[in-house]
Amino acid sequence: MEKEYKILLTEDDENLGMLLREYLQAKGFKTDLLPDGEEGYKAFMADKYDICILDVMMPKKDGFSLAKDIRMVNTEVPIIFLTAKSLKEDIFEGFKIGADDYLTKPFSMEELLFRIEAILRRTKGGNTAQEFYQLGKYKFDTQKQQLIEGEAIIKLTTKESELLKLLCTNANKVLERNFALKTIWVDDNYFNARSMDVYITKLRKHLKDEPSVEIINVHGKGYKLVM
């Protein structure tokens, strides 16, 4: 990562907060951890942050109230909510306030990282992730959502591009179904799972003329991009 981005993290669960801070710092993010909404607001007013990760259920000031206060002084800074709540009303409330994303506990660290990087690419134009991947004779342009072979171009849909990018970042490793579903479709329900299977089939068709690249099923786990 070229720039060191700064994260405001509010989490009242001390163990989870410290784990998240250590993980994000290990990934190159300068991360300030605050235990409640009031402390979080003081920190936000005293410093400049590139993204805010706010736990919803906190003492003194909850995450929604903190986000509203932040939005009063800054309408642009990205906000991700972390919560044990999964009720639709809570999700809608978060997005009405101006959240950029929403993760329901428990979640994987890798999923949080993927969401952060996606938001920073969109809002900062930062080079937080690889832009091109070589898939045998094809060059995959993640920004233009294209598979390129010389003059020939295969235009991918957004879902196809997001799924192929996840496979590329986990090349020769298992991409777990639930992680892919929650990252791209947000919910890992049956209908989204069937939708993902359709997109996997489409990607296989796009890559069928390149024998050195294959997307295989890993029974009971997910998919693997073998190169």
Side-chain angles (χ1 to χ4, degrees), residues 74-85:
N74 187 319
T75 59
E76 302 297 326
V77 65
I79 295 174
I80 298 176
F81 283 121
L82 307 178
T83 182
K85 292 184 175 182

Side-chain angles (χ1 to χ4, degrees), residues 73 98 128 144:
V73 295
T128 62
K144 293 182 179 178

Side-chain angles (χ1 to χ4, degrees), residues 69-120:
D69 289 345
I70 287 172
R71 282 284 174 258
M72 291 291 286
V73 295
N74 187 319
T75 59
E76 302 297 326
V77 65
I79 295 174
I80 298 176
F81 283 121
L82 307 178
T83 182
K85 292 184 175 182
S86 58
L87 293 173
K88 283 185 179 176
E89 305 90 82
D90 295 315
I91 295 171
F92 293 151
E93 173 71 12
F95 284 122
K96 275 197 297 184
I97 292 167
D100 293 80
D101 214 335
Y102 200 105
L103 274 176
T104 303
K105 299 174 184 176
F107 54 85
S108 72
M109 302 283 192
E110 290 82 5
E111 184 179 1
L112 175 61
L113 179 65
F114 186 88
R115 303 286 184 97
I116 291 169
E117 289 184 334
I119 288 170
L120 289 176

Side-chain angles (χ1 to χ4, degrees), residues 160-205:
E160 286 173 338
S161 183
E162 289 178 345
L163 186 52
L164 184 55
K165 185 176 179 182
L166 262 190
L167 286 162
C168 287
T169 57
N170 292 275
N172 297 312
K173 296 186 290 186
V174 176
L175 172 63
E176 293 185 5
R177 283 179 67 86
N178 284 358
F179 172 59
L181 283 166
K182 286 183 177 179
T183 300
I184 298 172
W185 277 267
V186 181
D187 194 331
D188 60 350
N189 64 44
Y190 172 80
F191 299 103
N192 287 339
R194 298 301 300 154
S195 175
M196 185 168 73
D197 292 338
V198 170
Y199 282 101
I200 287 287
T201 300
K202 288 180 178 180
L203 289 177
R204 284 175 174 148
K205 286 180 180 175

